[in-house]
Amino acid sequence: MAVRIPPEERQTNLVVALMATEIGLTKQQILDNVSGYRQRADSGARPDAREKMFERDKDELRALGVPIETIGESSDPNDLRQARYRIPQAEYVLPDDIVFSAAELAVLQLAGSVWSAGSASADAQAGVRKIRALGIDGDEPIIGYAPRVATHESSFAPLQNAIENTRIVEFDYLKPGEGIPQRRSIEPLALVEYEARWHVYGIDRSSEGERTFLLSRIVGDVALTRKHFDAAKREGAGARARAGLEAVAARNSAVVEITPGTEAALRLGRRATARTQGFDLPYVDMHILADELASYGPEVRVVEPADLRVAVIARLRATVAAHEGRGE
């Protein structure tokens, strides 16, 4: 069975191929040689279907600002039956005075790889294609560890879509300590990553106030309604959301002891501040932090606050009980 190449990868391959030639490539050369089109031929796709795919890709890339040139026959420039296609590098490459180090290229490629097709806007996809088309290898170990946003919470993609299209959404939200999720109706204004977790920031329609919701606590599907909100409300929303989360973290701090040289030291050390004994660790949500600290087992010990220590111990005891139950 032929390998299926995602559309965004196929379009990236097309950009690279068209930049790599001065004289250009004919449509047939593209369909026969560029990865993404070639596999469709191997799977039995009709020639006209592959030609339509190429025309769609060419139109989408041009809409994103990629300067694809069509070169006709020298004897008759209007005869496009044997036309060649190319991308003039002078119009697409970065200016000579912009230079990236290997580490900077790694970060750019890592950032680009985070946004999969279902979660990236047209502008983001255009940026990813330009970065890949540079043809420069970055730090492979870092790039190989690239995460994918779309594999985290299923609510991310519909919320991103709702933000871009100013659509009001509804979803069930389960708060800690509650047994039944509550229905929420919000005007989603921004998606914000904080402490390695995604939040949606928006206006809660029931209270008319701005609220932040943790995506991992959304239960079930996000429903897009037919109602719209004013796009101007999105202005500065991301900055307001992050400032709000930082303010909450500034008011809540745990004192923890961390075993040096462990995974906990590596991960928590980025957020914690050393003190005379142990570390100060700011947090937004006690229940989320308790889950995280319990996952490190004996590598972390909570000194205070007491309710956080109790929550971590309860999680560790539940884990032990679960394992003992499976052993019987």
Side-chain angles (χ1 to χ4, degrees), residues 273-307:
T273 303
R275 49 184 291 155
T276 304
Q277 181 178 3
F279 296 84
D280 284 319
L281 183 64
Y283 63 91
V284 171
D285 187 297
M286 187 195 74
H287 300 277
I288 294 295
L289 181 61
D291 289 340
E292 180 182 6
L293 296 182
S295 71
Y296 297 124
E299 297 176 3
V300 179
R301 187 178 76 87
V302 179
V303 178
E304 58 182 45
D307 53 352

Side-chain angles (χ1 to χ4, degrees), residues 5 87 262:
I5 305 298
I87 297 174
T262 60

Side-chain angles (χ1 to χ4, degrees), residues 140-220:
E140 290 299 333
I142 296 178
I143 297 171
Y145 191 66
R148 286 282 179 180
V149 169
T151 61
H152 291 182
E153 289 88 9
S154 60
S155 57
F156 186 99
L159 287 170
Q160 177 74 3
N161 181 39
I163 293 170
E164 292 181 352
N165 294 283
T166 64
R167 296 273 292 277
I168 294 173
V169 298
E170 294 181 353
F171 52 77
D172 292 329
Y173 193 74
L174 185 61
K175 294 177 64 175
E178 295 183 352
I180 301 176
Q182 301 295 317
R183 194 67 173 175
R184 301 282 188 168
S185 176
I186 74 165
E187 299 174 9
L189 305 180
L191 283 164
V192 180
E193 187 271 344
Y194 191 78
E195 291 184 350
R197 294 173 180 84
W198 285 95
H199 306 73
V200 59
Y201 174 78
I203 299 176
D204 190 331
R205 302 271 290 178
S206 62
S207 64
E208 293 299 326
E210 295 187 349
R211 299 286 186 273
T212 302
F213 301 90
L214 193 65
L215 264 59
S216 61
R217 288 186 179 148
I218 294 178
V219 180

